[in-house]
Amino acid sequence: MSAATVLHTTLLFAVDTSQKDASRPNFIFILADDLGIGDLGCYGQAKIQTPNVDRLAADGMKFTNFYSGAAVCAPSRCTLMTGKHLGHATVRDNMQRAPKGAGEGQHAMQSGTVTVAQLLKRAGYATAIVGKWGLGMPEDHSSPLDFGFDHSYGYLCQGMAHTFYPPHLWRDDKQEPLAGNPPYYYGQKEPIPVSGADYSHDLMADDALAWVRGHKDSPFFLYLAFTIPHLSLQVPEDSLSEYRGRWPETPVTDSKHYANHSEPRAAYAAMITRMDRDIGRLMALLKHLQIDDNTLVMFASDNGAVFPLSGTDPEFFQSTAKLRGYKQDLYEGGIRTPMLARWPGHIQPGSTSDFIGAFWDILPTFCELTGVEAPSDIDGISIVPTLLGKTPQHEHEYLYWEYHAAGKAQAVRFGPWKAVRNKVSKEPDATPELYNLADDPGEMTNVAAEHPDVAAKAAAYMKAAHAPSWEPKWNF
């Protein structure tokens, strides 16, 4: 560690030396799945109750210009783990390899990939992921245990996560049967049953709390990757009853890949509120264990709200907060995420930040807070100054995304400007669409013709950001 780093770390934590091991905070990163930025009360949601997540915002910092790593699941999680944007990431899109076992087969990360869990583990942290991994299987040497996690529990393959009543979950690279749940394999033609005996979210929430109890006396990193509110719409009756009858419903009776549901609006809201309840349980546990003040808790979503599908109703709930697009889009509705950060005694309660950041900033942030040297080839920057209300905060020259389905797409954000180029495979040199988010947050007016120099700058960023991938499908 350099002398400058030592000095910075010393100054950083001089504000609170009374806390046990205050220079080595615990980290909990909570990731929702397909949650829109408008699905939370603290971002304007009026129909769905999220009091505990809202309390994270009240007790900490709410970001207004933060972005997920991708418009879909697996690559977004890859950027979070590795600190690299999609032009450099080892996994750049969702991809199912030839499935083995019960329809499971998630594309692996490349050997030698460095993750935030590995870096923290080397620094003496206990590490766990509870929830959805989505970045490889044990037989591919790409499970959480292969990339720095001491403990994992939940889903490895995102295909299996399409049901909340799976026939098994994975515990530390071994399948743990859930005998009371119906059989299921990814891609089955018959509809998924709406219920079972063991609700996976509940099992994962309990496991996370138990793991925290067991590691309260040493620094830890918990990556809590909940699968709510991703389809299927499935939720136990005690939660569903909270919302039953509140709104008119159109039953889902013909879903091809997910569970049908007679009360889809109530189910969607109930799922989010159930997740919120368990976040409240976690926060209460931190206080009970007297480690609340030394734990940085962050909350985000892996991508934007899903487009209307199998009962989801993003227009009714205003899940995108009137931003354009949904999951699978590189417009704001597909990649702008809620981002909350709470750390009592360090982060100013009720604060708001307009810092323009993304998932690849988490790895260097955690590294700085622990005095660990971040890899030199990442795209992220530490946001510690923003979190602690310090200056100066280094800013990104630009943020970059790719999407490799439906003709391929690219997007960049720099300052108030946002550029999107769709159908890259057919028109690789086309002038990108250009939006001024300061004046047009809904990306309604393409101003590329009025600002050709800015559009050209965006195109240059897109070209510079994309490095050739080991997977040919992810090249332009």
Side-chain angles (χ1 to χ4, degrees):
M1 186 187 304
S2 68
T5 302
V6 172
L7 177 61
H8 179 75
T9 303
T10 301
L11 292 174
L12 180 63
F13 293 104
V15 295
D16 187 5
T17 58
S18 63
Q19 291 297 321
K20 180 180 179 181
D21 208 9
S23 64
R24 294 168 64 78
N26 305 311
F27 301 110
I28 298 178
F29 195 96
I30 306 170
L31 188 68
D33 198 341
D34 288 4
L35 182 81
I37 192 170
D39 282 329
L40 301 172
C42 56
Y43 283 93
Q45 177 58 229
K47 295 183 175 72
I48 304 171
Q49 301 302 306
T50 57
N52 294 296
V53 174
D54 297 345
R55 195 169 298 118
L56 291 179
D59 292 348
M61 179 174 289
K62 179 177 75 173
F63 287 80
T64 60
N65 279 290
F66 216 87
Y67 291 87
S68 63
V72 289
C73 176
S76 188
R77 293 159 197 266
C78 183
T79 70
L80 179 63
M81 289 292 98
T82 64
K84 296 183 178 183
H85 65 51
L86 293 183
H88 300 136
T90 179
V91 174
R92 304 191 188 186
D93 202 7
N94 283 344
M95 180 180 289
Q96 295 286 128
R97 64 157 172 75
K100 298 179 181 180
E104 293 182 281
Q106 193 70 46
H107 209 292
M109 290 200 292
Q110 288 178 291
S111 175
T113 299
V114 176
T115 70
V116 61
Q118 289 171 317
L119 294 167
L120 293 178
K121 185 174 181 178
R122 293 171 192 168
Y125 274 65
T127 57
I129 172 175
V130 177
K132 184 166 80 172
W133 172 240
L135 294 171
M137 306 296 291
E139 60 264 32
D140 303 313
H141 306 291
S142 188
S143 80
L145 301 191
D146 295 306
F147 284 101
F149 288 98
D150 302 315
H151 169 69
S152 70
Y153 180 67
Y155 298 93
L156 294 185
C157 173
Q158 61 193 29
M160 182 61 70
H162 287 185
T163 176
F164 284 82
Y165 295 100
H168 64 263
L169 291 174
W170 288 85
R171 182 180 297 279
D172 299 335
D173 283 3
K174 296 186 182 297
Q175 287 186 7
E176 191 171 86
L178 302 175
N181 287 349
Y184 169 77
Y185 65 91
Y186 177 60
Q188 69 181 36
K189 295 181 180 180
E190 59 272 22
I192 299 171
V194 73
S195 63
D198 295 307
Y199 192 60
S200 63
H201 171 84
D202 292 354
L203 299 176
M204 295 186 297
D206 288 346
D207 187 82
L209 268 62
W211 189 85
V212 169
R213 290 189 194 97
H215 293 83
K216 64 182 178 62
D217 295 324
S218 60
F220 65 78
F221 166 45
L222 171 62
Y223 173 29
L224 185 50
F226 283 136
T227 48
I228 285 176
H230 194 294
L231 294 167
S232 291
L233 294 177
Q234 296 165 305
V235 67
E237 174 61 27
D238 61 322
S239 287
L240 183 63
S241 62
E242 295 181 37
Y243 287 95
R244 175 175 288 122
R246 290 196 184 189
W247 313 296
E249 298 278 11
T250 301
V252 179
T253 60
D254 59 352
S255 178
K256 296 181 179 179
H257 303 291
Y258 304 104
N260 293 324
H261 207 290
S262 60
E263 301 162 288
R265 287 176 173 171
Y268 184 79
M271 290 169 70
I272 294 173
T273 297
R274 194 176 189 90
M275 176 178 65
D276 180 84
R277 178 199 70 180
D278 289 319
I279 291 171
R281 291 172 61 205
L282 174 61
M283 300 310 297
L285 177 63
L286 296 179
K287 291 184 178 180
H288 175 74
L289 298 176
Q290 298 182 357
I291 58 175
D292 185 49
D293 289 349
N294 198 38
T295 303
L296 170 58
V297 178
M298 305 185 82
F299 176 92
S301 177
D302 66 340
N303 47 247
V306 70
F307 42 87
L309 180 68
S310 295
T312 60
D313 198 341
E315 291 189 7
F316 177 76
F317 289 111
Q318 295 188 16
S319 295
T320 68
K322 299 183 180 180
L323 298 177
R324 179 179 177 180
Y326 300 106
K327 175 182 180 178
Q328 299 184 11
D329 291 323
L330 294 185
Y331 298 107
E332 295 291 281
I335 55 177
R336 183 90 70 93
T337 181
M339 173 60 78
L340 306 173
R342 177 189 184 274
W343 187 11
H346 300 269
I347 296 176
Q348 181 68 33
S351 54
T352 299
S353 174
D354 60 1
F355 172 79
I356 302 171
F359 275 9
W360 43 92
D361 294 332
I362 301 305
L363 182 151
T365 298
F366 288 3
C367 283
E368 179 171 351
L369 288 172
T370 54
V372 174
E373 185 176 356
S376 61
D377 62 346
I378 63 173
D379 299 297
I381 58 176
S382 170
I383 62 170
V384 167
T386 292
L387 294 176
L388 302 185
K390 308 290 185 179
T391 55
Q393 169 66 65
H394 182 60
E395 297 183 357
H396 290 279
E397 181 178 2
Y398 62 88
L399 300 178
Y400 174 77
W401 299 268
E402 299 178 354
Y403 184 56
H404 291 273
K408 300 183 181 291
Q410 294 175 287
V412 290
R413 168 81 195 265
F414 51 106
W417 300 104
K418 170 75 177 299
V420 179
R421 177 188 278 155
N422 294 308
K423 300 180 180 179
V424 177
S425 57
K426 293 183 178 180
E427 302 175 356
D429 298 319
T431 299
E433 301 168 20
L434 183 68
Y435 304 94
N436 186 334
L437 297 182
D439 301 327
D440 180 23
E443 297 172 293
M444 301 303 294
T445 304
N446 178 6
V447 295
E450 291 84 352
H451 300 278
D453 54 335
V454 181
K457 185 177 183 179
Y461 282 149
M462 291 176 178
K463 183 176 181 180
H466 175 84
S469 172
W470 62 273
E471 169 55 63
K473 293 181 180 179
W474 297 335
N475 288 323
F476 294 121

